[in-house]
Amino acid sequence: MMEWSLCALLGVPLLAGILSWIVPSARVRSVLVGVAAFAVVASGLAVVYGSMQAAEGIWEFAIPAKCEWIASVLEAVIILVILGIGIRTKNWWITVFAVLQVLLAAGIWCLPTEHHGDFVTVFRVDSLSRIMLLVTAIVGGAITVFSLGYMKSHAKHAPDTAASLGQFYFFFLAFLGFMAGLVMSDNLAAFSFFWEATTLCSYALIGQDGGEARRVNAARALLLNSLGGVFLLAGVYLLKSRTGGESFQLLLEKHSITLLPAILLCLAAFTKSALFPFQSWLLGAMVAPTPVSAMLHAATMVKAGVYLVMRLTPGFYDERAMTIVAFAGALTFVGGALLACTQSNAKKVLAYSTISNLGLVVACAGINTPLAYAAGLSIISFHAISKGLLFLCVGRIEQVIGSRDIEDMDGMYYRMPYTTCVAWVGMVSMLLPPFGMLLSKWLAIEATILSPFLLIFMVTGSALTVFFWAKWIGKMQNTGYHRDVPGEVIPSAMRVSLGFLALLVLVTGASTMFIFKYVFDPMARAVYHRYADINWCIFNEAGASTVTSLIIYGGVVLGLIIYYWFFWRKFDEKNIRLPYLCGENITSSELKSVQGARSYDFRSVGGKIEHSHFSNIYFHGIISEGKVTSVLVWAAWLIIVVLIGVCLAK
Amino acid sequence: MENMMKWLNDPVVRSVLALILAPVLGGIIMGLDRKITARMQGRMGPPLMQPFYDIIKLMGKEPFVLHRPQILYTMLHLVFMMITVVMLVTGQDLLMVLLIHAFSSIALVLGGMSVRSPYSWIGSQRKIMQILAYEPILILLILGIRLRDGSFLGSAVLESQEPLIYSMPLLFLAFVCVLAIEFGKSPFDVSSSHHAHQEIVRGVYQEYAGPFYCLTEIAHFYELALGFGLVMAFWHTNILCGFLLETVVFLFLLVVDNAFSRLTTGWMVRYMWTVPLSLALANLIWLWR
Amino acid sequence: MTKATAKSPWVVHVNCNSCNGCDIEFLACLTPMYDAERFGVVHIGSPKHADIMVVTGSVNHRNARVLRNLYEQMPGPKVVVAMGICPATGGIFADCYNVLGGVDKVIPVDVYVPGCPPRPEAMLDGILEGAAILAQKQQNTPTVKPVMKLKIVKPAPAPAPAEAPAAAGATGEQAVAK
């Protein structure tokens, strides 16, 4: 049964992708994609459930040792494709990296393998994989459904250079399968195949609409990710040469001799997760259609990097190198948040905030205590849901108002109430206490107490995060009074998936404390159980705070009841007044009679009606994006050099 | 007597008492503030109970609003402030208390930004800058407490025998700066000020009228009580010393308020992120042992 | 609540093309000498928080709209105090082509404080009188529509410009210039 679910999870998306590329009819394609999304969710859940039933909650899938070459061959094929792209687009750096990867792959192939049995474990589903699988399947499924509605109208406005929708869905769906494979792989050959495959999908999807800007950004994404591929394969090569095998189990078991390979894998993860200094590709990738940004560049693909770090670090408890990894993450956390404060482009804000959160996960993984580990896990899962939702909302808003600038998003509640409410839920979930993101940040700060110099990064980063979210929420919900808000016309695919994700945010947000207590807490304990000297006390303390959430819920519910009873019910339209504009505001009756008048209009000289304009603070003239970025990039390179130095010195 | 003490230790009783007493205390502090300020300026000043007259009066006014979400945010502001108080007196995790308090301020800001009023908008922007300015220092304060007592729980502070001020005097100074911001004292009263009519009218509070303004005022009372409660916690072992400390801080804030003029938001953030932040960090390094 | 209302009159100050004489005198009420705050008076900038609107200056055609807007934005119960002779009748500007001649042409006025400018004691007295009316209105507001029984004194219908101060002085009973 489990094997079949696994096949469905990996095979159905690929198959549906190929079919939708071939099938000319748009309707059939929609049905195919819908079915594929459903199949991914169902089989993902089946795998998760099945693996939980297995002994110790770990389910393994092994193939005969003599079939091990399949993964390597598939990997080689993908690398050759990347090499081909490099040569065809005459991008020599990509070519150089691809050639390096080919050489490394050949090197790995030639190294002798020590077999411990007739079977090789390819997939290994443990609790970390399960979390990632749930995120990938559920959020990915919802985004796929959204893309059905989005791409239909996107295709109408797309430039002539755009590739066909069939091609889009092929890469999109195939990506889902690859991602699911990636998080389940135990064998590093299979892992690097899936890793390269997601890189390739990302390249194709960023370049979807064609044109110069997309081409450049897609090439940059491919360039940086193939640099990551070089790191990955170099790590695998070293691992195999030192231990004679290539699997995560081996890497973690023999941790005394595998630090350098692990750090190389971490560097690969940095490129995939777009940590500084590799952040530029993720920002460039925002030219892709929105479902792509949501799925690849917020919810799933960039999570592969942090997944890798989370997978590795517990094995290297008490290593100085891991503290330096934490610094790389913390730097990104602050840098991303700071740059997000200076942006007014909504997608860029989301991109920077994604980078920032990924940095936080890496920092948590680097701090390497059970509490930090649990915090990292919860950021991965809650962030994926909220950020996926927000990207979709921005995409939808951009389609309607034709702009992705935050300054253009005022009065959205009147223009598109449904999307605005959903986006509001997503954004508030980043700030509101009982919700997951804030709770994870809380845990992260509590965990940082053990590593002094990280503190300053954590503290400033979290203050900056609050700053840019509050600005955006404020602009988004800024609106006048409207008695009747017209219903929003929105394709049902979009409506369903947005509603589903918003519901997911609310439900997971409301039960965060319990999720933490019954899922993340035992996981972290299970991962760290073999280290006797670990500091558990801090962990017990944070786990005991269910009372906190009860107080919050009690208070909020009581407040809402009072609000409803005393204010909402007794709300009277005659109590509506226009905002204070020194008395120069237009009157309520003029608001109705004058065409195009808004509630914040005022009469200037000669009785002319004019708008009042106000905008957010973006630190213009104080912080320049370019300068800050270059400083951060240099600092990040310095950290990486120190990191490698520390490993070599050991 | 013993029965009484036992009864007081019950968390529910304690939180109910705190919820009732905190605004009363806050109002009295506010009244004292106005009275002493007036005396400093050579005036007679309003009666001590003036803040209570004000809020009772505001309750009876017509409830003018701009739209419904505005009221929701006012409620959230108050409710989260109350939750902060409850969590503090029941000895919950201090960092969480702080984050909830931060959200309470954010709710006020969002309420100010949800309406289409330029003054309210400017006030809200400045309020976020204020939050940005003082949030790191508050977090560092909590971390300092954690380093000293080995626990994030509020109850641990009260159980320890040594007053906090011995081990964290520099953090205390930084905290006084934070208090000045939270209470809207010059030179940090950028977001809403009684003295800035020409500039931002009433800043964040601009568009709240009648009972809703009353709600924000009550929340401010809670905030005052909270702030001075924390000052008290710095010297909890001796009530008299704690009271003395509080008086000193209070008078210091008033003198500064009257002696300084309002400065810009940028200056505030630069100042807070340099002087008090480095004070706090220096104190933390010393606590690290 | 009535008592509290009487003790906490928050004042917003509107200048409808006044010559600034009354404004300066009014602000002087907040100084140590007179200290309006001892009666709970807060000079507040926003009409949305205010109880008493103090108007100075003879109202003209252009700022009548502003005055009306501000008045509408004050939550009830509210009181208007016409500070000085200009807002009462137009004062020396009554004959100007652009002057409406009196705040009561635009919004209902509760207290008139004549004088050019009125003495600070008179101003304080006027505001306190306003506070008393406020309390009266507060008692009536919840159910009954505000009936302004007390202290509504209309000025002489069309006062001659020269006699304007005298006329207002005769009718405005609140003018207690000490």
PDB file of all heavy atoms in Angstrom, chain A residues 384-404:
ATOM      1  N   ALA A 384       5.248  28.578   5.456  1.00  0.00           N
ATOM      2  CA  ALA A 384       4.843  28.112   4.132  1.00  0.00           C
ATOM      3  C   ALA A 384       3.381  28.437   3.876  1.00  0.00           C
ATOM      4  O   ALA A 384       3.020  28.941   2.810  1.00  0.00           O
ATOM      5  CB  ALA A 384       5.075  26.613   4.017  1.00  0.00           C
ATOM      6  N   ILE A 385       2.533  28.188   4.869  1.00  0.00           N
ATOM      7  CA  ILE A 385       1.103  28.422   4.659  1.00  0.00           C
ATOM      8  C   ILE A 385       0.835  29.910   4.480  1.00  0.00           C
ATOM      9  O   ILE A 385       0.216  30.336   3.492  1.00  0.00           O
ATOM     10  CB  ILE A 385       0.291  27.886   5.853  1.00  0.00           C
ATOM     11  CG1 ILE A 385       0.614  26.419   6.092  1.00  0.00           C
ATOM     12  CG2 ILE A 385      -1.181  28.040   5.585  1.00  0.00           C
ATOM     13  CD1 ILE A 385       0.004  25.878   7.346  1.00  0.00           C
ATOM     14  N   SER A 386       1.325  30.723   5.420  1.00  0.00           N
ATOM     15  CA  SER A 386       1.009  32.155   5.365  1.00  0.00           C
ATOM     16  C   SER A 386       1.598  32.799   4.117  1.00  0.00           C
ATOM     17  O   SER A 386       0.939  33.574   3.436  1.00  0.00           O
ATOM     18  CB  SER A 386       1.572  32.858   6.585  1.00  0.00           C
ATOM     19  OG  SER A 386       0.963  32.378   7.735  1.00  0.00           O
ATOM     20  N   LYS A 387       2.854  32.464   3.832  1.00  0.00           N
ATOM     21  CA  LYS A 387       3.505  33.144   2.717  1.00  0.00           C
ATOM     22  C   LYS A 387       2.923  32.698   1.388  1.00  0.00           C
ATOM     23  O   LYS A 387       2.758  33.512   0.473  1.00  0.00           O
ATOM     24  CB  LYS A 387       5.006  32.886   2.783  1.00  0.00           C
ATOM     25  CG  LYS A 387       5.868  33.884   2.075  1.00  0.00           C
ATOM     26  CD  LYS A 387       5.533  35.315   2.376  1.00  0.00           C
ATOM     27  CE  LYS A 387       6.073  35.806   3.695  1.00  0.00           C
ATOM     28  NZ  LYS A 387       7.496  35.748   3.821  1.00  0.00           N
ATOM     29  N   GLY A 388       2.590  31.395   1.286  1.00  0.00           N
ATOM     30  CA  GLY A 388       1.939  30.940   0.070  1.00  0.00           C
ATOM     31  C   GLY A 388       0.662  31.727  -0.163  1.00  0.00           C
ATOM     32  O   GLY A 388       0.405  32.262  -1.255  1.00  0.00           O
ATOM     33  N   LEU A 389      -0.119  31.859   0.889  1.00  0.00           N
ATOM     34  CA  LEU A 389      -1.378  32.601   0.820  1.00  0.00           C
ATOM     35  C   LEU A 389      -1.133  34.048   0.389  1.00  0.00           C
ATOM     36  O   LEU A 389      -1.811  34.583  -0.497  1.00  0.00           O
ATOM     37  CB  LEU A 389      -2.042  32.565   2.192  1.00  0.00           C
ATOM     38  CG  LEU A 389      -3.309  33.380   2.358  1.00  0.00           C
ATOM     39  CD1 LEU A 389      -4.393  32.779   1.499  1.00  0.00           C
ATOM     40  CD2 LEU A 389      -3.757  33.401   3.790  1.00  0.00           C
ATOM     41  N   LEU A 390      -0.139  34.682   0.993  1.00  0.00           N
ATOM     42  CA  LEU A 390       0.101  36.096   0.684  1.00  0.00           C
ATOM     43  C   LEU A 390       0.544  36.287  -0.759  1.00  0.00           C
ATOM     44  O   LEU A 390       0.106  37.222  -1.428  1.00  0.00           O
ATOM     45  CB  LEU A 390       1.168  36.652   1.630  1.00  0.00           C
ATOM     46  CG  LEU A 390       0.636  36.980   2.999  1.00  0.00           C
ATOM     47  CD1 LEU A 390       1.739  37.454   3.900  1.00  0.00           C
ATOM     48  CD2 LEU A 390      -0.415  38.056   2.876  1.00  0.00           C
ATOM     49  N   PHE A 391       1.394  35.392  -1.236  1.00  0.00           N
ATOM     50  CA  PHE A 391       1.821  35.518  -2.633  1.00  0.00           C
ATOM     51  C   PHE A 391       0.619  35.417  -3.559  1.00  0.00           C
ATOM     52  O   PHE A 391       0.470  36.199  -4.506  1.00  0.00           O
ATOM     53  CB  PHE A 391       2.839  34.432  -2.968  1.00  0.00           C
ATOM     54  CG  PHE A 391       4.243  34.911  -2.887  1.00  0.00           C
ATOM     55  CD1 PHE A 391       5.093  34.481  -1.911  1.00  0.00           C
ATOM     56  CD2 PHE A 391       4.731  35.833  -3.812  1.00  0.00           C
ATOM     57  CE1 PHE A 391       6.391  34.936  -1.826  1.00  0.00           C
ATOM     58  CE2 PHE A 391       6.021  36.290  -3.739  1.00  0.00           C
ATOM     59  CZ  PHE A 391       6.854  35.839  -2.748  1.00  0.00           C
ATOM     60  N   LEU A 392      -0.250  34.461  -3.269  1.00  0.00           N
ATOM     61  CA  LEU A 392      -1.422  34.296  -4.129  1.00  0.00           C
ATOM     62  C   LEU A 392      -2.264  35.556  -4.103  1.00  0.00           C
ATOM     63  O   LEU A 392      -2.759  36.023  -5.136  1.00  0.00           O
ATOM     64  CB  LEU A 392      -2.246  33.099  -3.670  1.00  0.00           C
ATOM     65  CG  LEU A 392      -1.534  31.756  -3.748  1.00  0.00           C
ATOM     66  CD1 LEU A 392      -2.494  30.641  -3.412  1.00  0.00           C
ATOM     67  CD2 LEU A 392      -0.942  31.530  -5.116  1.00  0.00           C
ATOM     68  N   CYS A 393      -2.425  36.148  -2.922  1.00  0.00           N
ATOM     69  CA  CYS A 393      -3.247  37.361  -2.820  1.00  0.00           C
ATOM     70  C   CYS A 393      -2.628  38.492  -3.625  1.00  0.00           C
ATOM     71  O   CYS A 393      -3.326  39.206  -4.353  1.00  0.00           O
ATOM     72  CB  CYS A 393      -3.374  37.796  -1.363  1.00  0.00           C
ATOM     73  SG  CYS A 393      -4.404  36.694  -0.422  1.00  0.00           S
ATOM     74  N   VAL A 394      -1.306  38.642  -3.502  1.00  0.00           N
ATOM     75  CA  VAL A 394      -0.663  39.717  -4.257  1.00  0.00           C
ATOM     76  C   VAL A 394      -0.832  39.495  -5.747  1.00  0.00           C
ATOM     77  O   VAL A 394      -1.103  40.430  -6.517  1.00  0.00           O
ATOM     78  CB  VAL A 394       0.827  39.820  -3.876  1.00  0.00           C
ATOM     79  CG1 VAL A 394       1.560  40.728  -4.827  1.00  0.00           C
ATOM     80  CG2 VAL A 394       0.973  40.337  -2.472  1.00  0.00           C
ATOM     81  N   GLY A 395      -0.708  38.232  -6.167  1.00  0.00           N
ATOM     82  CA  GLY A 395      -0.892  37.935  -7.585  1.00  0.00           C
ATOM     83  C   GLY A 395      -2.275  38.312  -8.044  1.00  0.00           C
ATOM     84  O   GLY A 395      -2.464  38.959  -9.088  1.00  0.00           O
ATOM     85  N   ARG A 396      -3.246  37.957  -7.250  1.00  0.00           N
ATOM     86  CA  ARG A 396      -4.647  38.252  -7.581  1.00  0.00           C
ATOM     87  C   ARG A 396      -4.859  39.771  -7.629  1.00  0.00           C
ATOM     88  O   ARG A 396      -5.496  40.302  -8.530  1.00  0.00           O
ATOM     89  CB  ARG A 396      -5.525  37.607  -6.514  1.00  0.00           C
ATOM     90  CG  ARG A 396      -6.939  38.065  -6.456  1.00  0.00           C
ATOM     91  CD  ARG A 396      -7.795  37.361  -7.473  1.00  0.00           C
ATOM     92  NE  ARG A 396      -9.115  37.959  -7.474  1.00  0.00           N
ATOM     93  CZ  ARG A 396      -9.752  38.317  -8.573  1.00  0.00           C
ATOM     94  NH1 ARG A 396      -9.212  38.118  -9.739  1.00  0.00           N
ATOM     95  NH2 ARG A 396     -10.946  38.843  -8.506  1.00  0.00           N
ATOM     96  N   ILE A 397      -4.320  40.480  -6.660  1.00  0.00           N
ATOM     97  CA  ILE A 397      -4.484  41.932  -6.618  1.00  0.00           C
ATOM     98  C   ILE A 397      -3.818  42.563  -7.828  1.00  0.00           C
ATOM     99  O   ILE A 397      -4.368  43.452  -8.471  1.00  0.00           O
ATOM    100  CB  ILE A 397      -3.882  42.501  -5.313  1.00  0.00           C
ATOM    101  CG1 ILE A 397      -4.751  42.103  -4.127  1.00  0.00           C
ATOM    102  CG2 ILE A 397      -3.770  44.012  -5.375  1.00  0.00           C
ATOM    103  CD1 ILE A 397      -4.132  42.394  -2.791  1.00  0.00           C
ATOM    104  N   GLU A 398      -2.637  42.046  -8.155  1.00  0.00           N
ATOM    105  CA  GLU A 398      -1.925  42.620  -9.289  1.00  0.00           C
ATOM    106  C   GLU A 398      -2.721  42.432 -10.571  1.00  0.00           C
ATOM    107  O   GLU A 398      -2.783  43.324 -11.412  1.00  0.00           O
ATOM    108  CB  GLU A 398      -0.558  41.963  -9.414  1.00  0.00           C
ATOM    109  CG  GLU A 398       0.335  42.673 -10.411  1.00  0.00           C
ATOM    110  CD  GLU A 398       1.607  41.913 -10.667  1.00  0.00           C
ATOM    111  OE1 GLU A 398       1.844  40.899  -9.992  1.00  0.00           O
ATOM    112  OE2 GLU A 398       2.352  42.350 -11.554  1.00  0.00           O
ATOM    113  N   GLN A 399      -3.384  41.269 -10.689  1.00  0.00           N
ATOM    114  CA  GLN A 399      -4.180  41.040 -11.894  1.00  0.00           C
ATOM    115  C   GLN A 399      -5.327  42.032 -11.988  1.00  0.00           C
ATOM    116  O   GLN A 399      -5.697  42.459 -13.070  1.00  0.00           O
ATOM    117  CB  GLN A 399      -4.733  39.621 -11.875  1.00  0.00           C
ATOM    118  CG  GLN A 399      -3.944  38.703 -12.742  1.00  0.00           C
ATOM    119  CD  GLN A 399      -4.580  37.350 -12.872  1.00  0.00           C
ATOM    120  OE1 GLN A 399      -5.620  37.071 -12.281  1.00  0.00           O
ATOM    121  NE2 GLN A 399      -3.951  36.505 -13.631  1.00  0.00           N
ATOM    122  N   VAL A 400      -5.876  42.419 -10.852  1.00  0.00           N
ATOM    123  CA  VAL A 400      -7.049  43.295 -10.892  1.00  0.00           C
ATOM    124  C   VAL A 400      -6.662  44.762 -10.995  1.00  0.00           C
ATOM    125  O   VAL A 400      -7.160  45.491 -11.851  1.00  0.00           O
ATOM    126  CB  VAL A 400      -7.940  43.058  -9.650  1.00  0.00           C
ATOM    127  CG1 VAL A 400      -9.084  44.047  -9.626  1.00  0.00           C
ATOM    128  CG2 VAL A 400      -8.469  41.651  -9.649  1.00  0.00           C
ATOM    129  N   ILE A 401      -5.738  45.223 -10.126  1.00  0.00           N
ATOM    130  CA  ILE A 401      -5.440  46.652 -10.153  1.00  0.00           C
ATOM    131  C   ILE A 401      -4.243  46.997 -11.021  1.00  0.00           C
ATOM    132  O   ILE A 401      -3.925  48.165 -11.213  1.00  0.00           O
ATOM    133  CB  ILE A 401      -5.225  47.221  -8.730  1.00  0.00           C
ATOM    134  CG1 ILE A 401      -3.923  46.708  -8.118  1.00  0.00           C
ATOM    135  CG2 ILE A 401      -6.389  46.910  -7.825  1.00  0.00           C
ATOM    136  CD1 ILE A 401      -3.576  47.408  -6.819  1.00  0.00           C
ATOM    137  N   GLY A 402      -3.553  45.980 -11.529  1.00  0.00           N
ATOM    138  CA  GLY A 402      -2.464  46.249 -12.459  1.00  0.00           C
ATOM    139  C   GLY A 402      -1.230  46.836 -11.816  1.00  0.00           C
ATOM    140  O   GLY A 402      -0.447  47.499 -12.494  1.00  0.00           O
ATOM    141  N   SER A 403      -1.088  46.661 -10.523  1.00  0.00           N
ATOM    142  CA  SER A 403       0.108  47.185  -9.879  1.00  0.00           C
ATOM    143  C   SER A 403       0.445  46.306  -8.695  1.00  0.00           C
ATOM    144  O   SER A 403      -0.430  45.727  -8.065  1.00  0.00           O
ATOM    145  CB  SER A 403      -0.130  48.609  -9.410  1.00  0.00           C
ATOM    146  OG  SER A 403       0.811  48.966  -8.437  1.00  0.00           O
ATOM    147  N   ARG A 404       1.738  46.197  -8.408  1.00  0.00           N
ATOM    148  CA  ARG A 404       2.119  45.436  -7.229  1.00  0.00           C
ATOM    149  C   ARG A 404       2.765  46.353  -6.206  1.00  0.00           C
ATOM    150  O   ARG A 404       3.490  45.911  -5.331  1.00  0.00           O
ATOM    151  CB  ARG A 404       3.033  44.279  -7.593  1.00  0.00           C
ATOM    152  CG  ARG A 404       4.223  44.665  -8.456  1.00  0.00           C
ATOM    153  CD  ARG A 404       5.195  43.529  -8.567  1.00  0.00           C
ATOM    154  NE  ARG A 404       4.772  42.525  -9.518  1.00  0.00           N
ATOM    155  CZ  ARG A 404       5.597  41.635 -10.032  1.00  0.00           C
ATOM    156  NH1 ARG A 404       6.863  41.630  -9.669  1.00  0.00           N
ATOM    157  NH2 ARG A 404       5.177  40.739 -10.898  1.00  0.00           N
TER     158      ARG A 404
END
